Amino acid sequence: MIILDGKKTSHDIKEEIAVEVNSIVSSGGKTPHLSAILVGSDGASETYVNAKVKACAKVGFQSTLIRLSEDVSEEDLLAEVKKINDNSDIDGLIVQLPLPKHINEMKVTEAIDPKKDVDGFHPSNIGRMALNLPTYLPATPAGILELLKRYDVETSGKHCVVIGRSHIVGSPMSILMSRNNIPGNCTVTLTHSRTQNLKGITKTADILIVALGKAEFVTSDMIKEGVCIIDVGITRVRSDKNKSGWKLLGDVNFEDVKEKCSFITPVPGGVGPMTIAMLLQNTLISTKK
Ligand code: GUN
């Protein structure tokens, strides 16, 4: 079994980006600038956004974090998005999701200039992705493709089963794995909460991508020998063993399945760190344009 080490791979990618930024800036080019909007103070969103801002500094990007209160109106949030769209110094904009219930997430996503949509969530960028046209790929799916590529995991002709159809991971992942690309060219089955006989399907997967948000959901009786497992889940649970009092669990029972896998991403240290690396890569692409 080979561990798909997202921590190391994301570190390598960040180093590659830092070298490129250094060469752009030292030859008089523009410093990449990412702007993030965080609404409210949800603990997980706060952690993710802070990690993104910190990663920007590490690779030599400029970043701006705009904090808005939980009760900000949709109108005021849209005005903030417009301000950033119109600011030519800012190359990329992300609005951290989820947003409070009174705000229409799709309306906010659609308000982001597709040229600055480094999350790749705008409908026009999702459309370009589906058509295999150049665009910003959503960061988590892009991170998974990058891991598959850098570890030479064969995907062509394989059966890829995706569990979960979220707009951020499952749905784009199913499209990307079926595209005529490397990685890609899979026969894809997208499963979700209404799927019948899930175990019968997962047992036929050569590549299993799990993004449903239920800790340790996938067990060894659900997989076949030699499967490549990508675990996108991150559930925080109480733990006496860690200093922080918390530990992170994936959607896959790692200890139970590991002996049956050809490749597997750990949690933490698998898909998670790759997401930020790909966000930085999308921002650099925007700057170069
Ligand atoms: N919430 C969970 N994942 C993401 C992400 O990749 N981007 C944004 N903007 N919000 C998220």
Side-chain angles (χ1 to χ4, degrees):
M1 179 268 293
I2 294 170
I3 296 273
L4 299 171
D5 187 344
K7 197 170 165 192
K8 182 192 173 296
T9 309
S10 68
H11 185 80
D12 293 348
I13 294 169
K14 282 189 243 173
E15 279 198 341
E16 291 158 20
I17 293 173
V19 167
E20 203 172 337
V21 171
N22 193 27
S23 119
I24 291 171
V25 173
S26 59
S27 56
K30 184 185 176 303
T31 302
H33 187 169
L34 175 70
S35 186
I37 298 180
L38 174 63
V39 180
S41 53
D42 171 75
S45 291
E46 185 103 21
T47 306
Y48 294 141
V49 169
N50 287 337
K52 290 170 186 178
V53 167
K54 219 167 108 187
C56 281
K58 220 167 159 197
V59 298
F61 287 10
Q62 197 184 335
S63 67
T64 306
L65 172 57
I66 295 154
R67 289 172 173 275
L68 300 174
S69 74
E70 180 81 24
D71 59 1
V72 67
S73 69
E74 186 177 282
E75 195 186 349
D76 286 353
L77 173 55
L78 289 170
E80 205 60 55
V81 169
K82 181 167 179 346
K83 235 196 288 176
I84 297 170
N85 283 344
D86 295 341
N87 182 344
S88 62
D89 186 58
I90 295 174
D91 305 295
L93 164 62
I94 59 166
V95 178
Q96 188 65 27
L97 304 177
L99 290 170
K101 294 269 180 297
H102 66 279
I103 295 175
N104 181 334
E105 267 182 18
M106 194 41 79
K107 203 166 161 187
V108 174
T109 302
E110 284 195 85
I112 297 172
D113 179 347
K115 292 194 285 299
K116 297 192 179 186
D117 169 40
V118 287
D119 258 331
F121 293 166
H122 191 285
S124 75
N125 286 328
I126 299 279
R128 293 182 67 84
M129 172 192 72
L131 295 169
N132 213 350
L133 295 169
T135 185
Y136 304 114
L137 297 184
T140 302
I144 294 169
L145 292 186
E146 198 64 32
L147 274 178
L148 294 171
K149 191 155 97 186
R150 291 192 183 223
Y151 279 87
D152 277 327
V153 177
E154 181 59 77
T155 60
S156 181
K158 303 293 183 189
H159 183 204
C160 174
V161 175
V162 180
I163 307 181
R165 58 178 158 184
S166 72
H167 291 170
I168 294 181
V169 185
S171 169
M173 208 59 236
S174 68
I175 295 168
L176 290 166
M177 294 303 280
S178 66
R179 296 196 315 183
N180 184 0
N181 252 353
I182 302 170
N185 283 315
C186 286
T187 304
V188 176
T189 305
L190 177 59
T191 68
H192 47 75
S193 54
R194 305 288 173 91
T195 296
Q196 296 183 9
N197 187 24
L198 179 64
K199 187 167 151 180
I201 298 169
T202 57
K203 272 179 103 63
T204 68
D206 301 306
I207 299 167
L208 181 62
I209 301 175
V210 195
L212 82 163
K214 277 193 189 166
E216 301 191 322
F217 177 82
V218 172
T219 45
S220 59
D221 57 317
M222 295 172 69
I223 58 169
K224 76 172 175 191
E225 197 76 42
V227 64
C228 167
I229 296 188
I230 307 291
D231 185 352
V232 187
I234 321 174
T235 305
R236 218 162 60 125
V237 295
R238 285 263 171 220
S239 165
D240 305 336
K241 290 194 188 123
N242 289 350
K243 245 201 285 177
S244 66
W246 295 95
K247 70 172 174 179
L248 296 178
L249 292 179
D251 285 351
V252 177
N253 187 327
F254 185 90
E255 286 305 316
D256 189 37
V257 303
K258 67 180 184 192
E259 298 308 332
K260 269 178 111 172
C261 299
S262 53
F263 297 90
I264 184 165
T265 59
V267 176
V271 173
M274 292 299 292
T275 298
I276 294 183
M278 302 321 284
L279 174 69
L280 298 172
Q281 200 165 77
N282 280 345
T283 306
L284 181 57
I285 291 169
S286 176
T287 309
K288 289 201 283 191
K289 279 183 184 157

Short mmCIF file of all heavy atoms in Angstrom, two decimals, residues 37 45 48-49 52 93-98 119 121 138-141 168-169 275 279, ligand 1:
data_model
loop_
_atom_site.label_atom_id
_atom_site.label_comp_id
_atom_site.label_asym_id
_atom_site.label_seq_id
_atom_site.Cartn_x
_atom_site.Cartn_y
_atom_site.Cartn_z
N ILE A 37 -13.06 36.57 1.48
CA ILE A 37 -14.13 37.14 2.31
C ILE A 37 -14.62 36.05 3.26
O ILE A 37 -14.95 34.94 2.83
CB ILE A 37 -15.31 37.66 1.44
CG1 ILE A 37 -14.84 38.77 0.50
CG2 ILE A 37 -16.45 38.15 2.33
CD1 ILE A 37 -15.94 39.34 -0.40
N SER A 45 -14.49 27.38 9.18
CA SER A 45 -14.22 28.35 8.11
C SER A 45 -13.06 29.26 8.50
O SER A 45 -12.20 29.60 7.68
CB SER A 45 -15.46 29.20 7.83
OG SER A 45 -16.45 28.41 7.24
N TYR A 48 -9.83 27.39 8.00
CA TYR A 48 -9.47 27.24 6.59
C TYR A 48 -8.97 28.56 6.00
O TYR A 48 -7.95 28.59 5.31
CB TYR A 48 -10.68 26.77 5.75
CG TYR A 48 -11.16 25.38 6.09
CD1 TYR A 48 -12.52 25.08 6.11
CD2 TYR A 48 -10.27 24.35 6.36
CE1 TYR A 48 -12.98 23.80 6.42
CE2 TYR A 48 -10.72 23.09 6.68
CZ TYR A 48 -12.07 22.81 6.71
OH TYR A 48 -12.51 21.55 7.01
N VAL A 49 -9.68 29.65 6.30
CA VAL A 49 -9.30 30.94 5.72
C VAL A 49 -7.94 31.38 6.27
O VAL A 49 -7.08 31.86 5.51
CB VAL A 49 -10.39 32.01 5.98
CG1 VAL A 49 -9.89 33.39 5.62
CG2 VAL A 49 -11.63 31.68 5.15
N LYS A 52 -5.29 29.63 4.48
CA LYS A 52 -5.11 30.14 3.11
C LYS A 52 -4.28 31.42 3.12
O LYS A 52 -3.37 31.60 2.30
CB LYS A 52 -6.48 30.38 2.45
CG LYS A 52 -7.22 29.08 2.13
CD LYS A 52 -8.67 29.30 1.71
CE LYS A 52 -9.39 27.96 1.55
NZ LYS A 52 -10.82 28.11 1.19
N LEU A 93 -10.40 36.00 -6.01
CA LEU A 93 -11.32 36.26 -4.89
C LEU A 93 -12.01 34.96 -4.49
O LEU A 93 -12.54 34.23 -5.36
CB LEU A 93 -12.40 37.28 -5.32
CG LEU A 93 -13.64 37.36 -4.42
CD1 LEU A 93 -13.27 37.80 -3.01
CD2 LEU A 93 -14.67 38.33 -5.02
N ILE A 94 -11.99 34.67 -3.19
CA ILE A 94 -12.79 33.54 -2.70
C ILE A 94 -13.72 34.05 -1.60
O ILE A 94 -13.35 34.91 -0.81
CB ILE A 94 -11.91 32.40 -2.14
CG1 ILE A 94 -11.01 32.87 -0.99
CG2 ILE A 94 -11.05 31.80 -3.23
CD1 ILE A 94 -10.39 31.73 -0.20
N VAL A 95 -14.93 33.54 -1.62
CA VAL A 95 -15.88 33.80 -0.53
C VAL A 95 -16.02 32.47 0.19
O VAL A 95 -16.50 31.48 -0.40
CB VAL A 95 -17.24 34.28 -1.06
CG1 VAL A 95 -18.21 34.50 0.09
CG2 VAL A 95 -17.07 35.56 -1.87
N GLN A 96 -15.55 32.42 1.44
CA GLN A 96 -15.55 31.13 2.13
C GLN A 96 -16.98 30.64 2.37
O GLN A 96 -17.83 31.40 2.84
CB GLN A 96 -14.78 31.27 3.47
CG GLN A 96 -14.54 29.95 4.19
CD GLN A 96 -13.62 29.00 3.43
OE1 GLN A 96 -12.77 29.41 2.64
NE2 GLN A 96 -13.79 27.70 3.65
N LEU A 97 -17.23 29.39 2.05
CA LEU A 97 -18.55 28.77 2.24
C LEU A 97 -18.49 27.83 3.44
O LEU A 97 -17.41 27.33 3.76
CB LEU A 97 -18.94 27.99 0.97
CG LEU A 97 -18.94 28.80 -0.34
CD1 LEU A 97 -19.26 27.88 -1.51
CD2 LEU A 97 -19.92 29.96 -0.26
N PRO A 98 -19.56 27.55 4.14
CA PRO A 98 -20.92 28.01 3.86
C PRO A 98 -21.15 29.45 4.33
O PRO A 98 -20.45 29.95 5.20
CB PRO A 98 -21.77 27.03 4.68
CG PRO A 98 -20.89 26.60 5.81
CD PRO A 98 -19.49 26.62 5.30
N ASP A 119 -11.64 29.79 -6.98
CA ASP A 119 -12.25 28.59 -6.41
C ASP A 119 -12.85 27.72 -7.51
O ASP A 119 -13.17 26.55 -7.28
CB ASP A 119 -13.40 28.98 -5.45
CG ASP A 119 -13.01 28.88 -3.98
OD1 ASP A 119 -12.15 28.05 -3.66
OD2 ASP A 119 -13.58 29.64 -3.18
N PHE A 121 -15.85 27.98 -8.79
CA PHE A 121 -17.25 27.65 -8.46
C PHE A 121 -18.27 28.36 -9.34
O PHE A 121 -19.45 28.04 -9.30
CB PHE A 121 -17.57 28.03 -6.99
CG PHE A 121 -16.83 27.23 -5.94
CD1 PHE A 121 -16.81 27.66 -4.62
CD2 PHE A 121 -16.18 26.04 -6.26
CE1 PHE A 121 -16.14 26.92 -3.64
CE2 PHE A 121 -15.51 25.31 -5.29
CZ PHE A 121 -15.49 25.75 -3.97
N PRO A 138 -11.99 23.61 -9.48
CA PRO A 138 -12.21 23.71 -8.03
C PRO A 138 -11.03 23.07 -7.29
O PRO A 138 -10.51 22.02 -7.70
CB PRO A 138 -13.50 22.93 -7.81
CG PRO A 138 -14.20 22.96 -9.12
CD PRO A 138 -13.12 22.98 -10.17
N ALA A 139 -10.60 23.72 -6.21
CA ALA A 139 -9.31 23.40 -5.60
C ALA A 139 -9.21 21.96 -5.06
O ALA A 139 -8.18 21.30 -5.25
CB ALA A 139 -9.00 24.40 -4.49
N THR A 140 -10.25 21.47 -4.40
CA THR A 140 -10.13 20.11 -3.84
C THR A 140 -10.07 19.06 -4.95
O THR A 140 -9.15 18.22 -4.95
CB THR A 140 -11.28 19.83 -2.84
OG1 THR A 140 -11.21 20.82 -1.81
CG2 THR A 140 -11.17 18.45 -2.22
N PRO A 141 -11.00 19.09 -5.92
CA PRO A 141 -10.86 18.15 -7.04
C PRO A 141 -9.52 18.29 -7.78
O PRO A 141 -8.89 17.29 -8.15
CB PRO A 141 -12.04 18.50 -7.95
CG PRO A 141 -13.06 19.06 -7.02
CD PRO A 141 -12.28 19.82 -5.99
N ILE A 168 -18.95 21.24 -4.41
CA ILE A 168 -17.53 21.57 -4.20
C ILE A 168 -16.62 20.39 -4.53
O ILE A 168 -15.54 20.56 -5.06
CB ILE A 168 -17.30 22.06 -2.74
CG1 ILE A 168 -18.02 23.40 -2.51
CG2 ILE A 168 -15.83 22.18 -2.42
CD1 ILE A 168 -17.85 23.98 -1.13
N VAL A 169 -17.07 19.17 -4.24
CA VAL A 169 -16.18 18.01 -4.46
C VAL A 169 -16.80 16.91 -5.35
O VAL A 169 -16.33 16.66 -6.46
CB VAL A 169 -15.72 17.36 -3.12
CG1 VAL A 169 -14.70 16.26 -3.40
CG2 VAL A 169 -15.12 18.38 -2.18
N THR A 275 -5.65 21.12 -1.24
CA THR A 275 -6.65 22.12 -1.61
C THR A 275 -6.03 23.51 -1.63
O THR A 275 -6.21 24.29 -2.57
CB THR A 275 -7.83 22.04 -0.61
OG1 THR A 275 -8.41 20.76 -0.73
CG2 THR A 275 -8.87 23.10 -0.89
N LEU A 279 -5.35 26.20 -4.77
CA LEU A 279 -5.90 27.56 -4.74
C LEU A 279 -4.80 28.57 -5.09
O LEU A 279 -5.00 29.51 -5.86
CB LEU A 279 -6.48 27.85 -3.35
CG LEU A 279 -6.95 29.27 -3.11
CD1 LEU A 279 -8.19 29.58 -3.94
CD2 LEU A 279 -7.25 29.49 -1.63
N1 GUN B 1 -15.78 25.66 2.02
C1 GUN B 1 -15.32 24.38 2.01
N2 GUN B 1 -14.39 24.23 1.01
C2 GUN B 1 -14.30 25.43 0.39
C3 GUN B 1 -13.51 25.89 -0.70
O1 GUN B 1 -12.73 25.17 -1.33
N3 GUN B 1 -13.68 27.21 -1.04
C4 GUN B 1 -14.57 28.02 -0.39
N4 GUN B 1 -14.68 29.29 -0.82
N5 GUN B 1 -15.32 27.62 0.62
C5 GUN B 1 -15.18 26.32 1.02
#
